[in-house]
Amino acid sequence: MQRVMEVARERVALLRLLRSAGGLTVAVLAGLAAIGVAAAPVLAILVRHLVDAMVSGAPYLWPVAALAGVMLLRQAGEIVGEAVDAVARKQIDGAVRSRVRRLTLAPSDITHLEDPAFHDLAARAGDQGITWRVRSPGAASVGQVKITVRMLATIATAGVLATYFPFLALTLLGVSLAIRWIIRRQWMYLESVKDAATPERRKVDYWADIAAGPEAGKEIRVFGLGGWVSERRLAAHYAWMADYWVIRRRVLRRQWTTGLLAAVAALLALLVPGLAALHGELSVGELSSCLVAAWGVFAISVMGPEAFDIDYGRTSVTALRALESRRSSPRTGVPAPGGVPEIRFEGVSFAYPGMPRPVLDGVDLTIGAGERLAIVGISGSGKTTLVKLLAGLYQPTSGRILVDGVDLCDLDPQGWRRQLSVLFQDFVRYPLTARDNITLAAPEASGSDEEISALAREVVDRIDTVLWRTGTGGRDLSGGQWQKLAIARVRYAVSKGRRVVVLDEPTAHLDVRAEAEFHERVIGGVGSASVVLISHRLSTVRPADRIVLLRDGRVTEQGSHDELMAEDGEYARLFRLQASRFTSEGAAR
């Protein structure tokens, strides 16, 4: 009973999605539905009048005209319905995808974006179909309207048959629904098997993107990996579909059950009215009406495309409901402190779900107001994770981060981020103008063309140049040029009131000359703002007020460059290791 109620709630949820299709579209669908429900039983009745008239020799012009009119109306409804259904599907799908985007963007942190379960739900909610069928909430909603019409039409047609043979009508209706239930259960079980393999399907998509995308195109061709990538994609596809193919063969071998039920029902539909007519209990017209009505009842046993649309697409609706159940209200809090703040990490630890050890483990660190702080360490030591904690994109597993004595968790996230300007190592390259790529760092502010042009002059001549390699009239930039534009983005944000600047590997793509000018032009150009600089190039962090070395998620050394060199610890070893490369090259020259 509980399962029946759950299915009923799902079907009602599908019908509610029609609100996204618009009032006019829904009204047209309702009118077409009324035609679809009435056509089948009316045809069965009109056939009786037509045949009786023909047998008795009475005029039969009006039954022919009525029969033709109903058939023409039903056919026209089906043709118009295809166009209206397509419009409704697109409108509903667009509305659902918008809801998925809002749910994805709503949380103030990014923890959910790194959760495989969330990605599975989002993929199902926005799934538009990857094989012969359309798997979308719009298709499911429209399919629910169609199946409702078919069911009501079948019941009405069974009512026509029941006026002559009530038991036969109930039997044919029951058998037809049983056949439908068996087929639906078999094929929907197949779909559940495919759903369970969603992570494997994402691997297929990944290898397909690698094969066709421009990002990996250079390596694939230089290394001669085209065949290997195709084989990996094919292997991933087989891994995804292997269980499905086995179960599908098993289902096909079991089709004798439905075939036997259909044969028995057809025999009853022919035998019972036929014997009655043979014994004079039915006229020829009534016999014809019963046969047409029986055929109408049989129609519900056929799994039309709308049935698959519903059962494939309702998983989208279920996934959407699951996403909404995970939804968290936008976090609010106290306003962020004004001015340049002091930031303290007190015993901060952070562990990614499923990882055996924390990335950060009891970090105690103070970032003084206006201080130039550098954070160094080998890859995987937790540097970028610390930045994401500072930006409020992650919440500490334990410990706390204080901003002028206020816990960062208690601050309004948006207000705090308007105090930050962060240049991530994997910064976004927006396919927009140079102006937009700079000003999006402080979208609430406005800047003059002269100000923006001054920041971008080393990269582009015109700030309205579109930075998009596939766009008409656009151009792409080199890695170093993009890095300079990202640095200009930071400088613009500081000029609009950002008081804490975080730079994660800001010189990774810069040449030696640009790196040498980095501190003078960038660090020296942010005024009184605090600066957190992360870099593997220790020459870049050397002028910092204080350098912090992270190792195994902990602060193991801190001090100025000269102090750390005098300690002759890990930092000194790493610095000499990097410096020796240049010294050796200089000696060789």
Side-chain angles (χ1 to χ4, degrees):
M1 187 63 182
Q2 183 178 358
R3 176 56 184 164
V4 173
M5 295 300 297
E6 179 63 24
V7 171
R9 283 193 293 268
E10 289 178 353
R11 301 307 175 93
V12 172
L14 288 176
L15 292 175
R16 286 176 178 169
L17 287 178
L18 290 171
R19 291 177 295 185
S20 303
L24 178 60
T25 302
V26 172
V28 175
L29 283 174
L32 295 174
I35 294 174
V37 170
V42 170
L43 284 174
I45 295 172
L46 289 175
V47 164
R48 185 194 69 187
H49 290 289
L50 175 60
V51 173
D52 282 342
M54 294 175 66
V55 170
S56 64
Y60 51 85
L61 179 61
W62 78 263
V64 170
L67 192 65
V70 172
M71 295 179 66
L72 181 62
L73 184 63
R74 184 169 69 172
Q75 190 67 26
E78 291 177 356
I79 295 173
V80 174
E82 290 297 324
V84 177
D85 291 348
V87 171
R89 283 197 301 266
K90 291 182 178 180
Q91 290 174 330
I92 294 170
D93 288 343
V96 170
R97 288 196 296 272
S98 295
R99 287 167 67 179
V100 173
R101 284 192 290 270
R102 288 195 297 270
L103 291 169
T104 302
L105 294 171
S108 58
D109 57 29
I110 62 172
T111 306
H112 63 296
L113 300 179
E114 299 173 351
D115 181 3
F118 179 88
H119 282 283
D120 286 346
L121 290 174
R124 292 173 187 170
D127 190 0
Q128 298 302 297
I130 57 173
T131 57
W132 58 272
R133 82 289 188 277
V134 175
R135 174 179 183 163
S136 75
S141 182
V142 172
Q144 183 59 49
V145 174
K146 288 184 175 181
I147 199 62
T148 301
V149 169
R150 287 186 61 193
M151 186 62 70
L152 293 176
T154 299
I155 293 174
T157 307
V160 174
L161 180 60
T163 59
Y164 302 100
F165 303 102
F167 182 75
L168 177 63
L170 289 175
T171 302
L172 295 183
L173 182 60
V175 171
S176 298
L177 292 177
I179 292 173
R180 181 182 185 84
W181 179 81
I182 293 172
I183 295 174
R184 178 184 177 277
R185 183 174 181 179
Q186 290 172 337
W187 292 102
M188 291 312 108
Y189 173 66
L190 274 176
E191 192 59 23
S192 68
V193 172
K194 189 179 291 185
D195 270 343
T198 296
E200 295 297 327
R201 197 204 79 187
R202 289 208 304 271
K203 292 180 183 178
V204 178
D205 295 340
Y206 170 79
W207 287 111
D209 291 341
I210 287 290
E215 291 79 8
K218 300 185 293 294
E219 286 193 11
I220 289 175
R221 284 155 181 80
V222 171
F223 298 157
L225 299 177
W228 179 79
V229 170
S230 295
E231 290 174 1
R232 297 296 298 179
R233 194 267 179 200
L234 188 61
H237 184 83
Y238 285 149
W240 170 42
M241 297 294 289
D243 290 342
Y244 177 84
W245 288 332
V246 171
I247 296 173
R248 184 176 62 180
R249 287 192 295 268
R250 188 185 309 159
V251 168
L252 290 173
R253 287 195 296 266
R254 293 177 178 175
Q255 294 308 301
W256 65 267
T257 305
T258 53
L260 180 61
L261 287 174
V264 170
L267 180 62
L268 289 175
L270 293 172
L271 187 61
V272 173
L275 290 176
L278 182 63
H279 292 93
E281 299 173 3
L282 287 180
S283 68
V284 177
E286 290 171 333
L287 174 62
S288 301
S289 181
C290 289
L291 294 178
V292 171
W295 183 259
V297 174
F298 288 151
I300 198 62
S301 65
V302 178
M303 289 285 287
E306 71 279 354
F308 291 97
D309 288 343
I310 293 170
D311 284 298
Y312 290 145
R314 70 184 177 86
T315 59
S316 299
V317 179
T318 304
L320 181 62
R321 289 168 57 190
L323 284 177
E324 290 178 333
S325 69
R326 297 163 59 111
R327 176 177 54 187
S328 57
S329 302
R331 187 163 57 89
T332 58
V334 300
V340 183
E342 178 190 72
I343 303 169
R344 292 204 315 273
F345 286 70
E346 294 185 347
V348 172
S349 297
F350 180 81
Y352 289 99
M355 297 298 290
R357 54 186 300 179
V359 179
L360 296 177
D361 187 9
V363 171
D364 292 310
L365 176 65
T366 299
I367 305 172
E371 183 180 20
R372 272 59 174 158
L373 175 72
I375 301 176
V376 299
I378 62 174
S379 298
S381 58
K383 302 184 297 297
T384 299
T385 300
L386 187 142
V387 171
K388 292 177 180 178
L389 287 167
L390 177 60
L393 300 175
Y394 293 154
Q395 300 298 322
T397 305
S398 62
R400 59 179 184 168
I401 303 172
L402 301 178
V403 180
D404 279 346
V406 180
D407 195 324
L408 180 59
C409 293
D410 296 330
L411 294 180
D412 173 44
Q414 299 305 319
W416 167 239
R417 287 167 189 162
R418 289 193 176 186
Q419 300 287 332
L420 295 176
S421 179
V422 182
L423 171 57
F424 290 104
Q425 184 175 358
D426 52 349
F427 60 87
V428 179
R429 305 180 182 191
Y430 298 100
L432 304 171
T433 64
R435 179 206 306 272
D436 292 332
N437 269 278
I438 292 174
T439 58
L440 284 175
E444 78 285 354
S446 60
S448 65
D449 287 352
E450 293 77 12
E451 177 187 8
I452 301 169
S453 297
L455 292 171
R457 64 173 176 265
E458 289 189 26
V459 181
V460 293
D461 297 327
R462 295 173 54 253
I463 58 176
D464 290 326
T465 300
V466 177
L467 305 179
W468 189 22
R469 60 186 165 199
T470 58
T472 303
R475 56 168 292 193
D476 198 8
L477 302 178
S478 67
Q481 288 175 315
W482 273 113
Q483 189 105 52
K484 290 179 180 179
L485 197 68
I487 292 172
R489 186 184 299 171
V490 172
R491 294 171 63 190
Y492 175 82
V494 171
S495 71
K496 301 306 176 185
R498 274 28 179 195
R499 296 292 175 257
V500 179
V501 178
V502 182
L503 305 170
D504 189 357
E505 297 290 355
T507 62
H509 298 286
L510 298 182
D511 55 38
V512 176
R513 179 179 177 181
E515 183 181 359
E517 297 174 349
F518 175 76
H519 268 275
E520 178 182 352
R521 299 186 58 186
V522 179
I523 303 298
V526 298
S528 61
S530 301
V531 177
V532 178
L533 175 61
I534 297 174
S535 180
H536 284 97
R537 298 185 182 182
L538 301 187
S539 58
T540 302
V541 306
R542 182 173 180 174
D545 298 334
R546 184 160 52 102
I547 301 171
V548 171
L549 176 69
L550 280 181
R551 182 171 184 176
D552 296 329
R554 298 184 179 184
V555 176
T556 56
E557 299 178 27
Q558 59 179 312
S560 66
H561 170 77
D562 292 336
E563 292 171 345
L564 293 177
M565 293 301 292
E567 289 182 10
D568 197 25
E570 181 71 10
Y571 174 84
R573 186 186 69 81
L574 292 174
F575 186 85
R576 285 194 293 266
L577 183 63
Q578 289 189 9
S580 65
R581 182 166 62 91
F582 295 99
T583 303
S584 299
E585 291 173 358
R589 286 194 298 270

